[in-house]
Coordinates of all heavy atoms in Angstrom, one line a residue:
A1 N 49.4 142.6 198.9 CA 49.4 141.3 198.4 C 49.5 140.2 199.5 O 49.0 139.1 199.4 CB 50.5 141.1 197.4
L2 N 50.1 140.6 200.6 CA 50.2 139.8 201.8 C 49.1 140.0 202.8 O 49.1 139.4 203.9 CB 51.5 140.0 202.5 CG 52.8 139.7 201.6 CD1 54.0 140.2 202.3 CD2 52.8 138.2 201.3
G3 N 48.1 140.8 202.5 CA 47.0 141.1 203.4 C 47.3 142.1 204.5 O 46.6 142.1 205.5
I4 N 48.3 142.9 204.2 CA 48.7 143.9 205.2 C 48.4 145.3 204.6 O 48.8 145.7 203.6 CB 50.2 143.8 205.5 CG1 50.6 142.5 206.0 CG2 50.7 144.9 206.5 CD1 52.1 142.2 206.1
D5 N 47.5 146.0 205.3 CA 47.1 147.4 204.9 C 48.2 148.4 205.4 O 48.5 148.5 206.6 CB 45.8 147.7 205.5 CG 44.7 146.9 204.9 OD1 44.8 146.6 203.7 OD2 43.7 146.7 205.6
P6 N 48.8 149.1 204.5 CA 49.8 150.1 204.8 C 49.1 151.3 205.6 O 48.0 151.6 205.3 CB 50.3 150.6 203.5 CG 49.7 149.8 202.4 CD 48.7 149.0 203.0
V7 N 49.9 151.8 206.6 CA 49.4 152.9 207.4 C 49.7 154.2 206.7 O 49.0 155.2 206.7 CB 50.0 152.9 208.8 CG1 49.6 154.1 209.6 CG2 49.6 151.6 209.5
A8 N 50.9 154.2 206.1 CA 51.4 155.4 205.3 C 52.1 155.0 204.1 O 52.8 154.0 204.1 CB 52.3 156.3 206.2
H9 N 52.0 155.7 203.0 CA 52.7 155.4 201.8 C 54.0 156.1 201.8 O 54.1 157.4 201.6 CB 51.8 155.9 200.6 CG 52.5 155.6 199.3 ND1 52.8 154.4 198.8 CD2 53.0 156.5 198.3 CE1 53.4 154.5 197.6 NE2 53.6 155.7 197.3
V10 N 55.1 155.4 202.0 CA 56.5 155.9 202.1 C 57.3 155.0 201.1 O 57.8 154.0 201.5 CB 57.0 155.9 203.5 CG1 58.4 156.6 203.5 CG2 56.1 156.6 204.4
P11 N 57.5 155.4 199.9 CA 58.1 154.5 198.9 C 59.5 154.1 199.2 O 59.9 153.0 198.8 CB 58.1 155.4 197.6 CG 57.1 156.4 197.8 CD 57.0 156.7 199.3
G12 N 60.3 154.8 199.9 CA 61.7 154.4 200.1 C 61.9 153.4 201.3 O 63.0 152.8 201.4
V13 N 60.9 153.2 202.1 CA 61.0 152.3 203.2 C 61.2 150.9 202.8 O 60.5 150.3 202.0 CB 59.8 152.4 204.2 CG1 59.9 151.4 205.3 CG2 59.7 153.8 204.7
G14 N 62.3 150.3 203.3 CA 62.6 148.9 203.0 C 63.3 148.7 201.7 O 63.6 147.5 201.3
R15 N 63.6 149.7 200.9 CA 64.2 149.6 199.6 C 65.6 148.9 199.6 O 65.9 148.1 198.8 CB 64.3 150.9 198.9 CG 64.9 150.8 197.5 CD 64.7 152.0 196.7 NE 63.3 152.2 196.5 CZ 62.7 153.4 196.2 NH1 63.4 154.5 196.1 NH2 61.4 153.5 196.0
N16 N 66.4 149.2 200.6 CA 67.7 148.7 200.7 C 67.8 147.7 201.9 O 68.9 147.5 202.5 CB 68.8 149.8 200.9 CG 70.2 149.3 200.6 OD1 70.4 148.3 199.9 ND2 71.1 150.0 201.2
L17 N 66.8 147.0 202.2 CA 66.8 146.1 203.3 C 67.6 144.9 203.0 O 67.5 144.3 201.9 CB 65.3 145.6 203.6 CG 65.2 144.6 204.8 CD1 65.5 145.3 206.1 CD2 63.7 144.1 204.8
Q18 N 68.6 144.6 203.9 CA 69.5 143.4 203.7 C 69.5 142.6 205.0 O 69.5 143.2 206.1 CB 70.9 143.9 203.4 CG 70.9 144.7 202.1 CD 72.3 145.3 201.8 OE1 73.3 144.8 202.4 NE2 72.4 146.3 201.0
D19 N 69.7 141.3 204.9 CA 69.9 140.5 206.0 C 71.4 140.4 206.4 O 72.2 140.6 205.5 CB 69.4 139.1 205.7 CG 69.1 138.3 207.0 OD1 69.3 138.8 208.1 OD2 68.6 137.1 206.9
H20 N 71.7 140.1 207.6 CA 73.1 140.0 208.0 C 73.4 138.6 208.4 O 72.6 137.9 209.0 CB 73.3 141.0 209.3 CG 73.1 142.4 209.0 ND1 74.0 143.1 208.2 CD2 72.1 143.2 209.3 CE1 73.6 144.4 208.1 NE2 72.4 144.5 208.7
V21 N 74.6 138.2 208.1 CA 75.0 136.9 208.5 C 75.2 136.9 210.0 O 75.8 137.8 210.6 CB 76.4 136.5 207.8 CG1 76.9 135.2 208.3 CG2 76.2 136.5 206.3
D22 N 74.8 135.8 210.7 CA 74.9 135.7 212.2 C 75.4 134.4 212.5 O 74.9 133.4 212.0 CB 73.5 136.0 212.8 CG 73.5 136.1 214.3 OD1 74.6 136.3 214.8 OD2 72.5 136.0 214.9
V23 N 76.3 134.3 213.4 CA 76.9 133.1 213.9 C 76.7 133.1 215.4 O 77.1 134.0 216.1 CB 78.4 133.0 213.6 CG1 79.0 131.7 214.2 CG2 78.6 133.0 212.1
Y24 N 76.0 132.0 215.9 CA 75.7 131.9 217.3 C 76.7 130.9 217.9 O 76.8 129.7 217.4 CB 74.3 131.4 217.5 CG 73.9 131.4 219.0 CD1 73.7 132.6 219.7 CD2 73.7 130.2 219.6 CE1 73.3 132.6 221.0 CE2 73.3 130.2 220.9 CZ 73.1 131.4 221.6 OH 72.7 131.3 222.9
V25 N 77.5 131.3 218.9 CA 78.5 130.4 219.4 C 78.2 130.1 220.9 O 78.0 131.1 221.6 CB 79.9 131.0 219.3 CG1 81.0 130.1 219.9 CG2 80.2 131.3 217.8
M26 N 78.2 128.9 221.3 CA 78.0 128.5 222.7 C 79.3 127.9 223.2 O 79.9 127.1 222.4 CB 76.8 127.6 222.9 CG 75.5 128.2 222.6 SD 74.1 127.1 223.0 CE 74.2 127.0 224.7

């Protein structure tokens, strides 16, 4: 749907993808 052709069909990849909170301190 995003115009990206998959190279391999691996159904579990990315299923539990989570972002992490990040704090940048200078």
Side-chain angles (χ1 to χ4, degrees):
L2 298 172
I4 302 169
D5 291 328
V7 176
H9 178 67
V10 185
V13 172
R15 182 168 293 158
N16 194 25
L17 181 65
Q18 299 176 21
D19 202 357
H20 297 285
V21 176
D22 189 16
V23 177
Y24 186 73
V25 177
M26 292 184 67

